[in-house]
Amino acid sequence: MASAIADLESLPAIPRDDDGPLFQAPWEAQAFAMVVALHERGVFTWQRWADALAREIASADGSSKPKGYYEHWLAALEGLLAEVELISFEQREARRSQWEAAAIASPHGEPIRLLDDLKKR
Amino acid sequence: MAVKTCGSIARMSSDHHHHHHHHDSGSHDEPRLCDTELRVRALESLLVEKGLVDPAALDAIIENYETRVGPRNGARVVAKAWTDPQYRQRLLEDATSAIAELGFQGRQGEHTQVVVNDERVHNLVVCTLCSCYPWPTLGLPPTWYKSAPYRARAVSDPRGVLKEFGLRIPDEVEIRVWDSTAEMRYLVLPRRPAGTEDLDEEALAALVTRDAMIGVGIVESPNPPEAARRGQGDGR
């Protein structure tokens, strides 16, 4: 695989230190990794991603509740995947509800699993 | 259902967060995943299904960063506790503040408790529900920490899990399993290995591994016998 290392410099103000990006929670790293993987796969160019993220951050600028960087990141990814017609809003919402139901249904002390997803995680 | 933010989610009542032996399997109505986590899971599972993303590749990308991000912070905390009795005392009384003294703070206000290994007790940290983890000190959790088998078996068979990590805990040593929550994270203070009396804080910190601070490892003496070193180095 090409070491098409994502060009972090071109992103608006990604939280990072000298060695690379910093994450505050696993989901942030997960969201980060999805973008890197999709880019490596050629689903979108890095420039297109950087633009989508910048747009997302700019559009949220006026909102009353400030969001964390990776909340913008996630919203931008959702938007871009809809834009390239890979995952629609409806698909996302339906799947989100399934996860929510799975989270509620899973007994305390057992990992949350989504039907067929078990083998992959 | 009300949308929860990641910072404020309460997934279990705080009065039994460390009672590993009594997991209720009954209902609990607090959501276990916040809205953001649900969205991330939704996207990821859809992308995996479409063959656009390989979970192993995601893990590899994350692993690439996680090994580097945090564990050194925790190692500094441990080394300081080994060398400075007053700091150790503060750390045991109020770990969140003592850790913040060194400049390590979480963004979401979660608390950290330090649990001490000694000749009678070995502590092991898990998050049975998801992957709560002391970020400020340990960075991102390793992939196995998030895996279903570890999360389930750390509670049901901790000695077996430790054995798989190459750690044999004598029967007379009690194993305590600490189940992390969004509000409470645990950091294991490992035992200081023999033969390190002459080392300074920095040299000590270099010995402290992430695994030792989760409790699936111990801190090895700087000059282990040949056999032990071979066992460590080969991977699996």
Side-chain angles (χ1 to χ4, degrees):
Chain A
M1 183 174 21
S3 60
I5 274 303
D7 177 16
L8 302 177
E9 307 300 332
S10 68
L11 296 177
I14 189 167
R16 58 172 296 167
D17 64 10
D18 290 345
D19 294 325
L22 296 170
F23 307 105
Q24 306 274 357
W27 72 261
E28 294 188 351
Q30 213 67 19
F32 172 83
M34 278 193 272
V35 168
V36 173
L38 289 168
H39 165 249
E40 281 176 357
R41 195 152 185 130
V43 172
F44 43 70
T45 65
W46 198 255
Q47 187 55 51
R48 190 162 183 190
W49 166 247
D51 291 346
L53 180 60
R55 260 200 325 275
E56 177 62 37
I57 291 174
S59 75
D61 259 355
S63 86
S64 53
K65 215 168 125 219
K67 286 187 185 166
Y69 185 82
Y70 281 99
E71 290 173 59
H72 293 306
W73 183 284
L74 177 60
L77 177 58
E78 289 172 340
L80 188 52
L81 288 172
E83 201 176 294
V84 299
E85 297 185 347
L86 275 174
I87 296 177
S88 69
F89 173 79
E90 291 75 18
Q91 281 176 302
R92 256 186 8 239
E93 276 305 296
R95 181 55 59 91
R96 203 201 72 94
S97 304
Q98 288 173 343
W99 274 112
E100 189 167 53
I104 291 166
S106 304
H108 179 173
E110 281 179 25
I112 299 163
R113 288 171 160 180
L114 183 64
L115 300 174
D116 292 328
D117 201 49
L118 346 181
K119 29 186 171 349
K120 296 160 192 158
R121 293 240 108 221
Chain B
M1 173 173 301
V3 171
K4 297 265 177 178
T5 61
C6 277
S8 64
I9 180 173
R11 290 161 317 146
M12 36 176 134
S13 57
S14 55
D15 62 347
H16 72 272
H17 61 247
H18 61 268
H19 290 295
H20 45 97
H21 294 129
H22 307 106
H23 274 287
D24 298 327
S25 48
S27 68
H28 61 108
D29 33 24
E30 292 289 349
R32 286 162 53 172
L33 297 171
C34 71
D35 184 60
T36 311
E37 288 166 331
L38 290 170
R39 283 162 59 203
V40 170
R41 286 196 182 214
L43 269 195
E44 187 183 333
S45 58
L46 286 166
L47 289 169
V48 168
E49 271 169 29
K50 288 177 186 289
L52 289 167
V53 151
D54 170 8
L58 289 185
D59 283 344
I61 292 167
I62 294 169
E63 193 110 22
N64 196 15
Y65 295 102
E66 85 191 12
T67 48
R68 187 192 54 67
V69 178
R72 295 336 308 162
N73 293 352
R76 282 185 49 203
V77 171
V78 168
K80 192 166 178 62
W82 281 347
T83 52
D84 179 343
Q86 285 172 354
Y87 183 77
R88 184 177 195 275
Q89 191 61 30
R90 291 202 297 281
L91 187 67
L92 299 189
E93 281 165 10
D94 180 358
T96 312
S97 305
I99 290 166
E101 277 178 42
L102 301 186
F104 312 136
Q105 267 172 295
R107 189 181 58 176
Q108 300 171 347
E110 68 277 354
H111 290 284
T112 302
Q113 182 178 338
V114 166
V115 290
V116 183
N117 284 356
D118 57 27
E119 61 281 355
R120 289 173 295 114
V121 175
H122 181 90
N123 295 285
L124 176 66
V125 179
V126 66
C127 175
T128 55
L129 295 186
C130 48
S131 50
C132 294
Y133 191 72
W135 323 115
T137 41
L138 295 189
L140 290 172
T143 306
W144 54 258
Y145 185 86
K146 297 180 278 186
S147 73
Y150 177 74
R151 284 152 50 193
R153 289 192 49 230
V155 173
S156 63
D157 179 22
R159 271 175 215 277
V161 168
L162 291 178
K163 215 171 285 176
E164 282 166 29
F165 276 94
L167 200 57
R168 211 169 277 276
I169 302 295
D171 285 345
E172 61 273 21
V173 175
E174 180 193 349
I175 297 182
R176 291 191 190 149
V177 182
W178 300 84
D179 192 355
S180 314
T181 70
E183 292 81 25
M184 188 58 82
R185 313 292 164 91
Y186 301 96
L187 182 72
V188 175
L189 181 59
R191 298 175 70 184
R192 180 172 174 167
T196 58
E197 295 75 16
D198 297 337
L199 298 183
D200 64 9
E201 218 177 292
E202 199 180 323
L204 285 170
L207 299 177
V208 181
T209 61
R210 174 191 68 195
D211 286 2
M213 293 182 281
I214 300 175
V216 297
I218 56 172
V219 179
E220 304 281 355
S221 296
N223 301 305
E226 189 53 36
R229 200 160 44 220
R230 242 193 347 261
Q232 287 284 315
D234 288 352
R236 263 160 284 192

